[in-house]
Amino acid sequence: MPGRGLCVSLLIYLFPALLDAIAAQTLFVNSLRAAQMGCSDVVISGLWAAWSLPYVGMCVWISRILTEQNAGRLIAFSCILFLVSSLGNLMATGIGAIYVWTVAPAIAAGFFFPPFQVFMKKVDSGQSKPVTYSTGWYTFSWSLGFAFGPWLSGFLMETGPNGWRACYAVSAVVAVASGTALFILDHRYGRRPVTAEAARKPAPANGAPAEDYSRMPDLAWLGWIGAGGGLIVLSIIRGIFPAMGEKMLHLTESVQGNVFFLLSMAQAFTGLAMVRSRTWMYSAWWVSLFGILGLAGAALFAVGRTPLVLYSAASLFGIYSGSFYFYLVFHALAHPSRAPVYVSINEMIVGVAGFVAPLLAGWLAQATGSYAVTFGAGCAVVLVTTVFL
């Protein structure tokens, strides 16, 4: 039945939102807890590095075993690991334990995100959806999770000295519910082969046939360079902003959560707006326009001191990050045969940027005594990347 197929095609995008909310919550809550403990900038931003390094390792390993047939089972198993990580973080009290249990959701995420991209492409292909549909909804979904995880956590943390425990209690429930639903969906839909008829059937978009991207140049490598630069700056923001917000600006947890909420919401709706994209991903003009918005956002983070300016910075940079995430995922999925390998490389780049950039940001902030210098370095990265593309 077409209606049921459409429902399933949309339903699967609920899970990147739910599980990325757990990952984002862990990084946000643990970074704030470290800042409140009086830890150094390097220790605080190092939590992102501690998350990213095992994530890279998992993506390397997953790329060797990932297929369309086992993708659904891998993402269902990831929910068990997210549950374990939530329970571990619920009990972590010292900075050492916080570091250990920051690693756990990284391993879980490695089991989820590369396989999910293969899984969603298979499900959407069976419903004759174009690759831009999969890419746009995926970017929207996981970005939504990255928005709501820190946003809700900021308010929960203000409920009392143990508010952070409530965050992880909620994430444990989410992990159980997601794992159960994914197991059922994989059993009913994920293991069905895509028929030859469905593979040949054109995907309508406003009555027009879908683009045949198999004839377009393979620009996955350009996506890795462009998104790599953007990811470095995004990792700087996520890694160092909690320290700046806590130590220099003295922002409340909810205001800091709002900053990350707006960044990820702008990123999410940028991705959603691109669902019906056709060829901008091959246009240097559009890539440059998004780069200018990213440069403006990074510059406002460097000079911003009030919530309003910081909210504007987050919104502008979120549009930029939404564009480069879409660009990255699109050029990986558009390849007719190397998508499983390309999406794993994508996630490795996400992990490497997330490991290197926060450590360098923390070191630079600590060495110069200036958060503005750190964000200024981010501006330079956006500028160089945009000019290169």
Side-chain angles (χ1 to χ4, degrees):
M1 295 190 300
R4 178 180 295 178
L6 177 62
C7 181
V8 171
S9 185
L10 289 174
L11 179 62
I12 63 171
Y13 291 103
L14 175 65
F15 301 106
L18 292 174
L19 296 177
D20 219 24
I22 297 177
Q25 170 194 272
T26 301
L27 289 161
F28 175 74
V29 172
N30 287 356
S31 294
L32 276 183
R33 292 186 66 207
Q36 291 167 353
M37 291 177 184
C39 296
S40 69
D41 293 342
V42 172
V43 171
I44 297 167
S45 61
L47 285 165
W48 277 85
W51 190 92
S52 298
L53 188 59
Y55 183 63
V56 172
M58 285 302 307
C59 290
V60 171
W61 180 74
I62 285 290
S63 68
R64 299 178 179 179
I65 66 169
L66 176 59
T67 65
E68 285 190 353
Q69 289 68 41
N70 66 15
R73 291 188 291 276
L74 290 173
I75 60 179
F77 177 70
S78 73
C79 295
I80 299 175
L81 299 180
F82 274 115
L83 172 61
V84 171
S85 75
S86 297
L87 296 177
N89 275 294
L90 186 64
M91 304 303 295
T93 54
I95 189 63
I98 287 174
Y99 258 83
V100 169
W101 288 106
T102 298
V103 171
I107 297 172
F111 270 95
F112 179 80
F113 288 102
F116 181 82
Q117 291 173 64
V118 174
F119 179 79
M120 74 180 185
K121 183 180 180 182
K122 180 179 180 180
V123 173
D124 286 344
S125 295
Q127 301 297 323
S128 300
K129 301 295 183 183
V131 67
T132 52
Y133 175 94
S134 304
T135 305
W137 275 103
Y138 174 66
T139 304
F140 173 75
S141 174
W142 75 258
S143 299
L144 209 63
F146 237 93
F148 278 96
W151 183 68
L152 291 174
S153 298
F155 288 105
L156 286 173
M157 289 184 74
E158 290 182 2
T159 60
N162 289 319
W164 60 272
R165 293 186 187 273
C167 300
Y168 291 117
V170 170
S171 67
V173 174
V174 170
V176 172
S178 298
T180 304
L182 278 166
F183 178 82
I184 295 171
L185 283 174
D186 177 48
H187 182 74
R188 292 187 178 180
Y189 300 99
R191 302 179 189 180
R192 295 179 181 177
V194 178
T195 64
E197 179 183 358
R200 291 193 302 267
K201 185 178 178 181
N206 293 329
E211 292 287 332
D212 182 5
Y213 295 110
S214 64
R215 300 180 182 180
M216 301 295 279
D218 183 358
L219 296 183
W221 66 274
L222 201 57
W224 298 332
I225 294 173
L231 284 164
I232 287 173
V233 185
L234 182 60
S235 297
I236 289 174
I237 293 171
R238 294 194 185 282
I240 207 65
F241 183 77
M244 183 176 80
E246 185 71 27
K247 296 181 178 181
M248 189 180 83
L249 303 180
H250 307 293
L251 301 174
T252 64
E253 290 94 335
S254 59
V255 169
Q256 294 191 57
N258 288 341
V259 169
F260 290 118
F261 174 78
L262 288 171
L263 192 158
S264 294
M265 286 297 287
Q267 178 178 291
F269 281 98
T270 299
L272 186 63
M274 294 175 177
V275 165
R276 295 184 178 180
S277 298
R278 296 178 69 86
T279 59
W280 78 261
M281 301 78 71
Y282 299 91
S283 169
W285 188 91
W286 277 103
V287 172
S288 299
L289 177 61
F290 286 122
I292 292 171
L293 295 178
L295 182 61
L300 287 177
F301 269 114
V303 301
R305 296 294 180 268
T306 65
L308 181 59
V309 175
L310 293 170
Y311 292 164
S312 300
S315 300
L316 287 171
F317 199 88
I319 296 172
Y320 171 57
S321 62
S323 72
F324 70 64
Y325 271 122
F326 184 95
Y327 191 91
L328 181 71
V329 175
F330 168 82
H331 283 298
L333 294 181
H335 196 283
S337 62
R338 295 187 61 81
V341 175
Y342 281 177
V343 297
S344 295
I345 294 174
N346 284 1
E347 298 306 318
M348 290 179 216
I349 291 171
V350 172
V352 170
F355 173 72
V356 175
L359 287 180
L360 290 177
W363 172 81
L364 187 59
Q366 203 160 293
T368 63
S370 171
Y371 294 110
V373 170
T374 307
F375 286 113
C379 292
V381 172
V382 175
L383 181 61
V384 170
T385 302
T386 303
V387 170
F388 176 83
L389 295 176

